[in-house]
Amino acid sequence: YHAKNNMKAVSIYDAEYDPNSAKRLTVTGALGRAIREEQLVLFYQPKVDLKTHRVYGFEALIRWIHPELGFIPPSDFVPMVELSSWIYPMTLWVLEQTIKQCAMWRDAGLDLTLAMNLSPRNLADDRIVNDLEVLLKKYNVRGGMLEMEITESMLMSDPNRASRILERINKLGVRLSIDDFGTGYSSLAYLKRLPVKTLKIDGSFIMNMLESEQDEIIVKSTIHLAHNLGLDVVAEGVETLEVYDRLNSLECDSVQGYYIAKPMPIESVGAWLADYQS
Ligand code: C2E
Ligand code: MG
Ligand code: MG
Ligand code: MG
């Protein structure tokens, strides 16, 4: 199946709505080639500390630049990859790129953290945490430069195994955060028993918080409860100055969103940083 997979533009979109179709196999089959032929890239989106207004780190977000189909966002292929065994090589690729980037920032004297996203399946066996340990050593990167984002659903299928793997990640000094918080079913009390340092409140609550009293109440109480449990809070999806200011007054710790910057290719990061900090 490595040979000549001539995907049609529509197949990607159709397949997303029918995850069991043969087309899904086409997409995931093409992923191996995408990795080998360097069609995958990471874009970087900054995170800003609300107390200091400084950029302290970035999140790496995957994109697929397909030779025929062009730019493919993660929502059009990651869900399908997650249903296949290709999720391991894809995550391993992201992990190595991320650690290499940390090493480059360290060599450039930049004090930045870099976050990557894990899939539920990545917590189902030890491979990624084994690779993490090997790659941190290989590139001589401190675990503290790296952050791993997991979603609440990842913890549900096999909580004991997942929490054992999270403990290993934590022992390597890598920070763990809960992504899209508020969209799943886990309680903060449960999360508090895991070695998680940060909650990222889902953008869907943030975007409407000035118009929807309900959303604002959810945001406000999540911040308070998280702080009382000793967790940091990041707000995703901050698109305006008004929301930025409101989160600041609610004592949210940091923000991420189009108001600060959209995810950008690595070539743009240096100039953007210099411009933002001045
Ligand atoms: P996520 O990890 O929750 O990432 C946040 C998504 O929101 C990103 O979409 C980002 O571009 C978008 N976003 C950020 N700020 C704003 C804003 O102010 N307004 C709006 N409307 N959107 C904003 P993206 O890059 O398309 O990624 C979508 C999802 O794909 C990610 O959600 C994550 O779940 C998944 N993903 C991305 N990269 C990877 C990866 O390397 N591995 C895995 N397993 N999943 C990934
Ligand atoms: Mg994320
Ligand atoms: Mg998120
Ligand atoms: Mg999200």
Side-chain angles (χ1 to χ4, degrees):
Y1 55 87
H2 284 171
K4 308 284 174 283
N5 268 316
N6 285 319
M7 287 195 300
K8 302 277 186 307
V10 286
S11 71
I12 290 224
Y13 297 95
D14 291 350
E16 194 183 4
Y17 299 111
D18 183 4
N20 294 316
S21 72
K23 288 165 183 167
R24 190 188 93 213
L25 298 178
T26 312
V27 170
T28 53
L31 196 84
R33 190 163 131 202
I35 295 175
R36 286 193 308 277
E37 297 182 2
E38 297 177 25
Q39 297 168 10
L40 300 179
V41 289
L42 294 178
F43 272 36
Y44 296 80
Q45 189 182 34
K47 292 185 277 185
V48 167
D49 183 318
L50 280 173
K51 281 207 188 71
T52 62
H53 302 283
R54 295 192 69 84
V55 177
Y56 64 92
F58 286 79
E59 176 177 0
L61 295 153
I62 200 167
R63 276 95 181 84
W64 185 351
I65 317 285
H66 192 278
E68 287 112 46
L69 304 177
F71 186 95
I72 310 177
S75 54
D76 285 353
F77 68 95
V78 172
M80 283 173 272
V81 176
E82 283 179 334
L83 295 173
S84 80
S85 57
W86 284 104
I87 191 59
Y88 169 67
M90 190 192 94
T91 306
L92 177 57
W93 179 84
V94 174
L95 180 67
E96 182 152 18
Q97 299 304 307
T98 301
I99 291 177
K100 273 190 200 167
Q101 191 54 52
C102 286
M104 283 191 254
W105 282 342
R106 178 209 57 212
D107 290 346
L110 290 169
D111 183 20
L112 293 168
T113 63
L114 186 53
M116 62 170 281
N117 293 281
L118 290 180
S119 290
R121 279 232 198 164
N122 297 136
L123 296 184
D125 65 59
D126 291 298
R127 284 180 294 176
I128 281 296
V129 65
N130 292 341
D131 297 324
L132 171 65
E133 194 167 357
V134 168
L135 290 169
L136 287 173
K137 283 210 186 84
K138 177 175 172 192
Y139 293 98
N140 192 25
V141 164
R142 269 188 314 115
M145 279 190 86
L146 193 70
E147 191 173 324
M148 288 181 154
E149 301 188 358
I150 60 175
T151 58
E152 297 164 75
S153 62
M154 293 187 186
L155 307 167
M156 293 309 167
S157 55
D158 188 349
N160 290 333
R161 181 186 285 274
S163 85
R164 196 172 50 73
I165 291 169
L166 297 183
E167 293 294 348
R168 283 190 63 197
I169 293 173
N170 182 52
K171 280 218 176 74
L172 294 168
V174 174
R175 291 173 66 98
L176 285 160
S177 55
I178 302 290
D179 207 349
D180 306 336
F181 185 76
T183 61
Y185 298 96
S186 52
S187 71
L188 277 173
Y190 167 68
L191 294 179
K192 188 51 195 145
R193 288 194 272 122
L194 301 168
V196 167
K197 301 286 191 305
T198 307
L199 292 187
K200 300 187 74 179
I201 303 179
D202 193 65
S204 60
F205 302 106
I206 304 297
M207 283 170 199
N208 302 318
M209 65 180 282
L210 298 183
E211 291 79 42
S212 154
E213 200 182 339
Q214 290 245 22
D215 285 352
E216 179 165 13
I217 291 169
I218 291 168
V219 171
K220 196 171 168 177
S221 21
T222 304
I223 293 171
H224 285 166
L225 202 49
H227 283 169
N228 286 335
L229 290 167
L231 300 167
D232 283 343
V233 182
V234 180
E236 301 184 317
V238 176
E239 295 186 344
T240 64
L241 172 62
E242 290 72 26
V243 169
Y244 182 99
D245 285 342
R246 187 77 190 110
L247 288 163
N248 205 359
S249 66
L250 292 176
E251 290 176 25
C252 186
D253 300 287
S254 38
V255 291
Q256 189 177 11
Y258 294 174
Y259 174 64
I260 311 296
K262 289 193 172 177
M264 61 187 97
I266 194 63
E267 299 78 33
S268 305
V269 167
W272 181 86
L273 261 179
D275 186 51
Y276 189 84
Q277 306 287 28
S278 67

